[in-house]
Amino acid sequence: MKIGDAFDPECPTRLILDRIGDKWSVLVVLSLSTGAKRFTELRDRIGGVTPKVLTQTLRAMERDGLLTRHVFAEVPPRVEYELTALGHSLQSPIQAVADWAESNVLEVIAARERASGDQAVSR
């Protein structure tokens, strides 16, 4: 196994690529780029994510050192999530990918439609 060789199937780099390539992780990083948020704020901002999946994503990101979970001793308890320095270092690359996706979404949709039409014709 070579560390730092993403093409080696045994390389742990692939675990990181799985994490940062997951759409929910990407959206969490983008959501937290403006500062700490509570669970419901994240869920509402992201939209379409179930509470279970968001919880799993947040736990995995915390385990990977990308965010921290702060529990405040209040009644009811208040929990906030915030990017770590490592998580903040992902902001620029993730924002670049998000910007590219938003700029090119219509072209990708058109290509998919053309491909679907080509498949229907060839059948």
Side-chain angles (χ1 to χ4, degrees), residues 26 30 90-104:
V26 167
L30 292 173
L90 272 174
Q91 281 180 265
S92 290
I94 285 178
Q95 187 63 59
V97 170
D99 291 345
W100 181 91
E102 289 174 354
S103 295
N104 293 285

Side-chain angles (χ1 to χ4, degrees), residues 1 6 9 14-15 36 51 58 67 72 81 89 94 104 109 114-115:
M1 166 181 61
R14 289 191 177 193
L15 299 172
L58 292 169
L67 59 80
F72 296 88
Y81 298 89
S89 72
I94 285 178
N104 293 285
I109 290 170
R114 284 191 304 275

Side-chain angles (χ1 to χ4, degrees), residues 26-98:
V26 167
L27 293 171
V28 167
V29 169
L30 292 173
S31 297
L32 293 177
S33 66
T34 58
K37 304 249 182 323
R38 296 177 74 168
F39 183 89
T40 53
E41 291 175 294
L42 285 170
R43 187 193 64 216
D44 293 346
R45 173 72 177 119
I46 292 170
V49 64
T50 65
K52 178 182 176 184
V53 169
L54 181 56
T55 297
Q56 291 170 339
T57 300
L58 292 169
R59 285 181 183 160
M61 291 178 72
E62 182 179 18
R63 182 192 66 230
D64 292 345
L66 300 174
L67 59 80
T68 56
R69 178 179 182 267
H70 301 283
V71 180
F72 296 88
E74 299 174 357
V75 177
R78 180 170 54 104
V79 178
E80 289 184 348
Y81 298 89
E82 187 171 22
L83 292 176
T84 62
L86 185 61
H88 277 290
S89 72
L90 272 174
Q91 281 180 265
S92 290
I94 285 178
Q95 187 63 59
V97 170

